[in-house]
Amino acid sequence: MTSLEIISQDKQRMSVKIKGAPLQYANALRRICLNGVPVFAIDTVDVIDNSSVMSDEGVAHRLGLIPLKTDLKRFAEPSKCSCQSKSGCSNCRVMLVIDSGETDTTRTIYSSELSSEDDTVKAVSDKIPIVQLAPGQKLKVEAYARLGRGSDHAKWNSANVSVLTHTDKPDEYVLTLETTGALSPEQILVAGVDELESRLQEFKQTISELKA
């Protein structure tokens, strides 16, 4: 019987021992924990005013790579949301804005100035630099975040590290996870196990339909 045993755990990193699982299943869980668990990331940016030296595309790219706190219980992936709208709704999309105003001195815009319409979806750190403004420059953007998976783009990776190592015993492995901060390591692991189970059920169903 397959079992999981926690070896070590803190806010950023978690190691668990997987017993009684074939290598292909353990490795599938590793990959899902890395890029198969949905998290929030900024996907669309409307630049209203940008007089900085950085291009609009550069600002949008930096915003997209800022890890965002994620609540999987409150929000749905766009493809699974009942709205089925390209623009999204409050159940599958969150707007974040920056409005620096015109600066009098040279200063850096940090993620702390990224204001979210939902307090549960915000930057994991207030100290991520976005762009530097010189006197007289300003930045005003509206950004829209949605749930996605790292298999589509690395900005949606739920983990920075997901490593599987073999122990001296057969069918026994150690899985080590390090989160981006969007989810806790425990949330990533639980969601990863649920996702693996769902995919296996879908695969079994497909095989059954082929045999019918």
Side-chain angles (χ1 to χ4, degrees):
M1 182 179 293
T2 303
S3 64
L4 296 175
E5 176 188 338
I6 298 176
I7 299 174
S8 62
Q9 181 181 7
D10 58 33
K11 292 182 179 180
Q12 295 296 323
R13 183 182 287 261
M14 182 180 192
S15 292
V16 294
K17 185 178 291 183
I18 304 174
K19 299 180 180 179
L23 175 59
Q24 58 268 34
Y25 289 165
N27 191 51
L29 178 60
R30 177 194 69 81
R31 291 178 64 88
I32 289 172
C33 288
L34 177 67
N35 59 23
V37 175
V39 294
F40 266 105
I42 290 173
D43 191 45
T44 303
V45 178
D46 292 333
V47 179
I48 300 169
D49 196 347
N50 175 27
S51 54
S52 73
V53 296
M54 184 176 290
S55 66
D56 293 352
E57 293 82 0
V59 171
H61 178 69
R62 287 204 173 186
L63 290 173
L65 294 179
I66 295 175
L68 301 176
K69 289 284 187 182
T70 298
D71 187 343
L72 294 177
K73 294 181 179 179
R74 286 190 55 190
F75 298 94
E77 292 181 78
S79 61
K80 300 177 181 178
C81 186
S82 58
C83 75
Q84 290 299 298
S85 169
K86 289 184 178 181
S87 59
C89 69
S90 59
N91 292 322
C92 63
R93 189 196 70 178
V94 174
M95 184 175 72
L96 303 97
V97 300
I98 293 177
D99 187 358
S100 70
E102 190 171 298
T103 181
D104 295 327
T105 59
T106 298
R107 73 181 187 93
T108 301
I109 301 296
Y110 289 94
S111 52
S112 58
E113 294 188 48
L114 194 59
S115 177
S116 174
E117 66 177 347
D118 192 300
D119 289 338
T120 62
V121 180
K122 58 184 179 181
V124 301
S125 170
D126 290 337
K127 301 178 181 180
I128 302 172
I130 299 171
V131 66
Q132 191 173 66
L133 299 180
Q137 295 179 343
K138 55 185 175 180
L139 177 68
K140 185 175 182 180
V141 300
E142 291 182 354
Y144 299 90
R146 67 179 179 86
L147 289 171
R149 298 172 189 253
S151 52
D152 294 324
H153 193 288
K155 67 183 179 182
W156 282 302
N157 276 1
S158 53
N160 290 320
V161 174
S162 184
V163 178
L164 190 70
T165 55
H166 200 291
T167 68
D168 295 332
K169 299 179 181 180
D171 290 339
E172 185 176 282
Y173 309 92
V174 173
L175 175 63
T176 300
L177 304 173
E178 183 179 286
T179 180
T180 63
L183 297 168
S184 70
E186 183 179 356
Q187 288 174 316
I188 294 173
L189 182 62
V190 172
V193 170
D194 290 341
E195 178 68 18
L196 177 58
E197 182 180 7
S198 175
R199 292 186 186 186
L200 288 173
Q201 291 297 329
E202 290 178 6
F203 182 71
K204 290 178 181 179
Q205 181 63 32
T206 300
I207 295 298
S208 298
E209 291 173 357
L210 290 174
K211 289 181 177 180

